[in-house]
Amino acid sequence: MISAEVEEMLSKGICRANSVERKIYVNLNNTAPCVRLLNATHQTGCQSSRNGDTGVIHVVEKEDDLLWVLETGPNPPYMLLLDGFLFTRDTMAKLKGSSRVSGIAVAFSKPSPPDGFSPDLQCPNDGFGVYTEEHGSQFAHCNKTTWNPLGTGFSYEDFEFPIFLLQDENETEVIKQCYREHNIPQNGTDPKYPLCAMQLYSHMHAVTSTVTCMRRNSIQMSFSINPAVCDTLAGYNVWSAVKPINISGTLAPEDRVIMVATKVDSRSFFWNIAPAAESTVSGMVTQLAAAEALQKVPDVQSLPMNIMFSFFQGEVFDYIGSSRMVYDMEKGKFPVKLSNIHSFIELNQVALRNNSFLWIHTDPLSRTNDSVNAEVEKLIETLRNSTTNPNVTVQEADQSKPLPPASFQRFLRARNIPGVVLTDHRNAYSNKYFHSIYDTADNIHMDYPDGLSKEEALEYITDAARSIADVASVLATTLYRLAGGNNTMEIKADPKTVTRMLYGFLKMSNNSWFQSIIRPEWKGILQDFQPQYYVTATLQGTKTTANNQTALLLSVLANLTGTVVNFTKEECQSLDKATDPKKELYDYYWVQGSRNENSTTRTPFCVRTSMRSHLAESPAFELVEWGSTEYSTWTESRWKEIRARIFLVPSHHLEIITLAVGLLVFIISLVVTYFINAKADILFSGTQEGDVNVAY
């Protein structure tokens, strides 16, 4: 039986189950597991045994508490409730090889660990950028600069026990209360049974590597034996051009395009938890704001060069999206070819600028080519001349240092293209929580006054929004001038638009602005909590679909750069009925529109946009090269069930007594049953004769 206090918490909604189960288990519903991911050579992540792993709970709030788990505790194996600030390399090194540990539940640390935390590598995407042993070996493996010095590499290790994140403070308190009532030693003696225990289910189907799991997929799906055991990580890139591009053909060789890029995905140690405020959203929002600002410039459609905005999916997993776009450009499967790209600007992490500095990074290898170097110098000079705002100071990083991890590196692998990467860091990342659960809105200082309603917070222009709008203004002005614009004015991004995007992408997508610009069939993706930016897996044998975050991005980009056209719903959703003579150049979105005043109804409308989506799945899977070292090979294991729960476990002596009594009752029942069956004619004969006499 669980305590009255825990019962009270259950009655408030923490556990939803029938009355019998509630008296045995407390289900933990707000958790996120570490799952198994695989690449060409390794398996990473975590899993439980087939039937889940169970252990007596021990709360670890300081390093000294580990001694009980690893040495002195009398009731192993233990299931640790680990405070978030102790989820470090030193702690995990002690726990990883211990047979006394059956699993770990990590409590979300509030505030975030002050010293930082990143489960990614110190050299992200190592081996899949432009610097390799064959090309630029002096820069390979981050020899010159350790970009992510706080990286622990947890996300690339293999753990043989389950690790879950506890996202709800109430559930964490339930576990701690159960621990305090049952598991704390009293007066120097060992805790007495029953003890509070936890059970974690996260058994993974795939093992070893992507090569192994894809081979099993192929065999099992060919003979319809069993479902697939793993799925590829994939999604969709999003791109848009200032001057629309016909996707049914390719650009002429003389057409020139300035490419602007950023990534739209992230990750953390735990599945589908990737808030990505600095690592992803800062660059994405900056690019969206610049695209809107450019769209408002009167002569933008007459510029000598086109400008293409690209948003790459799956970049944190060895550049899935950018490598696929480069592959399709090389194969003529994309309307823009590599030879059409005049120059390249990438937005990386830009929200944590120190003393207003925006740093320009370039590739020292491609700049050994005189023509490339001349264009890079021109690009840098244009960036420097494109701001009069004292809040942004554009500076070039050391030319002798390599590019930070960036999508641009995949393009440089294929062709020498003049380009730069813009960041808020000169050397190592300013972001102390790179690809972690703590890279939230708080990390980029999105601060709001107390007492604001949700609608007021949506419209409130934060300092973070102003900072990002300043960078977007520099970017938009630079792009305009690079493309041949003659107007010398500085183009301004709208901080109100930026603050709305930051709120929607980092705080709550279910807000009035997102509701008004989304397609009716997508309204179900709007949530009252923070969106996550994990790329997601595509089920084998099914068509890749856009995840929720891509749908949000499509909606926002269409709204910021598209044009409202006077089409009916039928015309907007069926191009055959549309009257636009240039409809092959555009896509059309029928969106919900804003609520009518004093009414629950909306006024929907049609948006015409040059925005397109592009499959972001690694070329390795199209080429059936599952062991590729050229392209990303990441897959995600399938699983049957993810579950966490706590309960009281009796002593082993009581279990043995219960088993013995049960066996004894069973044996006695067999003997009695046998005796009754064997003597049935004697035991029941009198009754039968009596019945016969009555009948006569």
Side-chain angles (χ1 to χ4, degrees):
M1 300 285 288
I2 52 184
S3 70
E5 289 83 358
V6 175
E7 282 275 14
E8 183 180 353
M9 290 185 178
L10 293 177
S11 68
K12 293 179 180 178
I14 292 174
C15 178
R16 296 286 187 267
N18 61 58
S19 58
V20 174
E21 185 177 356
R22 280 182 53 182
K23 293 183 179 297
I24 302 174
Y25 299 108
V26 177
N27 291 317
L28 306 173
N29 299 318
N30 293 296
T31 63
C34 160
V35 303
R36 174 165 290 166
L37 300 173
L38 310 100
N39 61 18
T41 55
H42 293 82
Q43 64 181 31
T44 68
C46 320
Q47 76 155 353
S48 72
S49 59
R50 184 175 297 275
N51 296 315
D53 289 320
T54 303
V56 174
I57 294 172
H58 190 73
V59 175
V60 178
E61 296 177 326
K62 55 185 183 298
E63 288 192 27
D64 292 346
D65 294 335
L66 293 174
L67 183 63
W68 180 272
V69 173
L70 298 174
E71 297 181 20
T72 61
N75 303 300
Y78 286 97
M79 192 70 70
L80 277 66
L81 173 54
L82 188 68
D83 268 19
F85 72 91
L86 285 174
F87 189 46
T88 63
R89 170 159 290 284
D90 289 343
T91 302
M92 295 305 294
K94 296 174 183 177
L95 301 175
K96 191 174 181 180
S98 176
S99 60
R100 294 171 59 89
V101 177
S102 59
I104 300 175
V106 179
F108 191 92
S109 179
K110 290 185 178 180
S112 302
D115 295 331
F117 172 73
S118 173
D120 209 320
L121 299 171
Q122 292 189 350
C123 187
N125 285 356
D126 187 21
F128 288 86
V130 68
Y131 308 116
T132 64
E133 298 297 338
E134 293 75 30
H135 181 79
S137 59
Q138 69 271 33
F139 303 126
H141 316 303
C142 298
N143 283 337
K144 295 291 185 180
T145 304
T146 301
W147 296 107
N148 186 33
L150 295 176
T152 63
F154 282 170
S155 295
Y156 294 84
E157 293 188 21
D158 185 36
F159 295 89
E160 291 301 321
F161 49 73
I163 304 177
F164 278 52
L165 174 67
L166 301 175
Q167 301 181 80
D168 189 298
E169 291 181 357
N170 292 330
E171 289 188 345
T172 302
E173 184 55 35
V174 167
I175 300 171
K176 288 184 176 181
Q177 181 177 332
C178 189
Y179 166 79
R180 288 191 293 264
E181 292 179 355
H182 298 280
N183 294 11
I184 294 180
Q186 300 294 331
N187 301 321
T189 62
D190 293 341
K192 296 180 179 180
Y193 287 95
L195 298 176
C196 191
M198 182 184 294
Q199 191 171 44
L200 300 179
Y201 290 84
S202 61
H203 181 67
M204 300 288 123
H205 295 171
V207 296
T208 308
S209 68
T210 289
V211 175
T212 301
C213 81
M214 291 299 290
R215 184 171 63 243
R216 290 180 180 176
N217 282 357
S218 180
I219 295 172
Q220 292 181 179
M221 295 178 72
S222 296
F223 294 96
S224 300
I225 302 173
N226 286 307
V229 296
C230 69
D231 301 297
T232 60
L233 295 181
Y236 280 94
N237 299 323
V238 175
W239 64 276
S240 176
V242 169
K243 293 186 284 187
I245 297 174
N246 192 337
I247 60 172
S248 62
T250 57
L251 292 181
E254 65 273 12
D255 290 338
R256 309 297 280 164
V257 173
I258 300 168
M259 193 165 186
V260 198
T262 192
K263 66 178 182 180
V264 295
D265 69 303
S266 186
R267 68 175 303 185
S268 75
F269 184 77
F270 300 100
W271 181 73
N272 204 30
I273 303 296
E278 160 73 334
S279 65
T280 298
V281 175
S282 65
M284 181 174 72
V285 168
T286 303
Q287 185 161 299
L288 287 167
E292 181 197 33
L294 271 176
Q295 200 68 25
K296 296 177 179 179
V297 177
D299 62 340
V300 71
Q301 292 295 321
S302 59
L303 294 176
M305 281 192 282
N306 204 349
I307 301 168
M308 175 179 164
F309 295 95
S310 300
F311 301 82
F312 292 125
Q313 183 68 268
E315 293 301 276
V316 302
F317 292 100
D318 299 336
Y319 305 118
I320 292 173
S322 56
S323 62
R324 182 54 184 255
M325 183 171 284
V326 171
Y327 174 82
D328 286 348
M329 285 179 171
E330 291 179 316
K331 300 296 181 182
K333 299 179 180 179
F334 193 81
V336 178
K337 295 182 178 180
L338 288 171
S339 57
N340 294 124
I341 301 175
H342 170 269
S343 52
F344 198 108
I345 300 178
E346 179 167 354
L347 287 158
N348 212 307
Q349 304 177 90
V350 295
L352 296 176
R353 291 182 294 117
N354 185 24
N355 295 328
S356 80
F357 286 115
L358 180 66
W359 293 99
I360 303 172
H361 300 264
T362 60
D363 171 41
L365 299 181
S366 61
R367 292 187 70 175
T368 58
N369 181 294
D370 291 340
S371 61
V372 169
N373 185 59
E375 289 295 335
V376 171
E377 292 286 357
K378 179 182 176 183
L379 205 166
I380 293 172
E381 188 64 22
T382 305
L383 276 163
R384 283 175 170 162
N385 293 335
S386 293
T387 178
T388 57
N389 190 331
N391 294 323
V392 182
T393 304
V394 177
Q395 290 286 343
E396 183 181 2
D398 190 342
Q399 289 188 25
S400 65
K401 290 189 175 182
L403 288 170
S407 306
F408 182 38
Q409 292 200 29
R410 290 302 302 191
F411 286 80
L412 288 173
R413 279 177 77 120
R415 183 184 179 91
N416 277 346
I417 299 172
V420 300
V421 176
L422 304 180
T423 74
D424 56 18
H425 55 89
R426 183 178 187 176
N427 296 302
Y429 292 161
S430 302
N431 186 5
K432 297 192 298 182
Y433 306 108
F434 182 72
H435 291 170
S436 84
I437 57 177
Y438 302 112
D439 189 9
T440 62
D442 292 339
N443 186 33
I444 61 171
H445 313 301
M446 274 179 60
D447 301 320
Y448 296 89
D450 294 334
L452 292 185
S453 67
K454 293 178 180 179
E455 280 302 305
E456 289 171 339
L458 173 67
E459 302 295 336
Y460 180 79
I461 300 176
T462 63
D463 290 341
R466 289 190 178 91
S467 175
I468 287 177
D470 290 340
V471 176
S473 299
V474 174
L475 176 63
T477 305
T478 299
L479 293 172
Y480 174 78
R481 294 176 181 176
L482 283 175
N486 295 320
N487 196 322
T488 57
M489 69 175 183
E490 183 179 8
I491 302 169
K492 293 285 189 180
D494 185 359
K496 184 175 181 179
T497 300
V498 172
T499 209
R500 283 178 166 185
M501 287 192 285
L502 288 176
Y503 185 84
F505 286 130
L506 292 176
K507 287 288 190 179
M508 188 176 73
S509 60
N510 190 23
N511 59 71
S512 60
W513 186 50
F514 275 26
Q515 290 168 5
S516 68
I517 64 176
I518 203 163
R519 294 161 64 164
E521 61 268 29
W522 287 353
K523 65 182 180 181
I525 70 173
L526 299 177
Q527 303 292 337
D528 291 332
F529 46 81
Q530 176 181 341
Q532 304 296 329
Y533 293 90
Y534 182 66
V535 58
T536 69
T538 296
L539 298 180
Q540 290 297 289
T542 65
K543 183 180 178 181
T544 302
T545 57
N547 63 17
N548 291 354
Q549 286 60 55
T550 302
L552 291 178
L553 171 61
L554 288 166
S555 302
V556 172
L557 183 58
N559 176 265
L560 297 183
T561 63
T563 304
V564 177
V565 291
N566 188 24
F567 282 5
T568 65
K569 181 178 180 180
E570 291 72 23
E571 291 173 330
C572 193
Q573 295 181 335
S574 176
L575 289 185
D576 294 338
K577 299 178 181 180
T579 56
D580 191 343
K582 296 182 179 181
K583 58 187 177 183
E584 70 278 359
L585 298 177
Y586 298 100
D587 201 358
Y588 297 83
Y589 277 62
W590 184 256
V591 301
Q592 290 193 128
S594 301
R595 288 188 186 276
N596 297 318
E597 190 174 355
N598 300 322
S599 173
T600 58
T601 61
R602 295 180 178 275
T603 304
F605 56 90
C606 185
V607 176
R608 184 180 71 182
T609 174
S610 62
M611 173 189 67
R612 305 286 185 174
S613 58
H614 169 257
L615 179 65
E617 183 179 52
S618 173
F621 299 107
E622 179 173 309
L623 298 170
V624 197
E625 295 178 358
W626 302 324
S628 173
T629 57
E630 170 68 16
Y631 298 111
S632 171
T633 55
W634 284 100
T635 54
E636 178 186 274
S637 175
R638 289 192 181 184
W639 56 82
K640 181 179 180 181
E641 182 180 26
I642 298 292
R643 184 171 55 166
R645 59 188 184 180
I646 63 173
F647 58 97
L648 297 183
V649 59
S651 69
H652 297 303
H653 296 295
L654 181 58
E655 290 177 333
I656 293 172
I657 291 172
T658 303
L659 177 62
V661 171
L663 288 173
L664 180 61
V665 171
F666 176 67
I667 293 171
I668 292 173
S669 300
L670 287 178
V671 172
V672 171
T673 302
Y674 175 78
F675 175 77
I676 293 174
N677 186 61
K679 303 298 183 179
D681 55 339
I682 298 174
L683 294 172
F684 304 110
S685 60
T687 304
Q688 292 173 352
E689 290 176 0
D691 291 343
V692 172
N693 291 334
V694 171
Y696 278 113

